[in-house]
Amino acid sequence: MDGIKYEVFTGKSIRLLENNQYTSNVESGSTRTEIKHWIELFFGVKVIAMNSHRLPGKGGRRGRGPITGHTMHYRRMIITLQPGYSILTLIQKRT
């Protein structure tokens, strides 16, 4: 599970939970087949589709001087599971 960083909870990702789709950020060097394999082994579910896109890093100043920098880019995966399968999320743990 080193490739999966954390789950994403935005307005769109919460709407996608109704369609049995889960959103998470993964390492940019991970392949789709690796991510699918990790999710199926760790959570014991069946993945039927995966969509991904690469989000750019954010730039900005560091400190008071003219030094600028940026954060690393990352990939976001939207994973669709077969009907009948689900992944326990933080939203479900609260209720």
Side-chain angles (χ1 to χ4, degrees), residues 48-59:
I48 58 173
M50 296 177 63
N51 296 327
S52 67
H53 59 279
R54 195 178 112 192
L55 298 164
K58 296 180 180 180

Side-chain angles (χ1 to χ4, degrees), residues 20 35 60 67:
N20 212 17
I35 301 291
I67 299 171

Side-chain angles (χ1 to χ4, degrees), residues 26-95:
V26 298
E27 289 185 13
S28 60
S30 303
T31 63
R32 293 167 59 98
T33 54
E34 288 175 348
I35 301 291
K36 180 179 178 181
H37 184 69
W38 288 332
I39 289 183
E40 287 182 344
L41 283 179
F42 188 73
F43 295 109
V45 296
K46 296 289 182 181
V47 176
I48 58 173
M50 296 177 63
N51 296 327
S52 67
H53 59 279
R54 195 178 112 192
L55 298 164
K58 296 180 180 180
R61 292 180 49 157
R62 306 288 187 251
R64 294 180 49 156
I67 299 171
T68 59
H70 59 72
T71 60
M72 297 298 290
H73 63 272
Y74 55 93
R75 284 177 71 182
R76 183 166 288 170
M77 300 290 289
I78 300 173
I79 300 153
T80 306
L81 302 180
Q82 281 185 355
Y85 289 97
S86 65
I87 296 175
L88 186 63
T89 60
L90 294 175
I91 293 174
Q92 294 171 340
K93 288 181 183 178
R94 288 184 184 172
T95 58

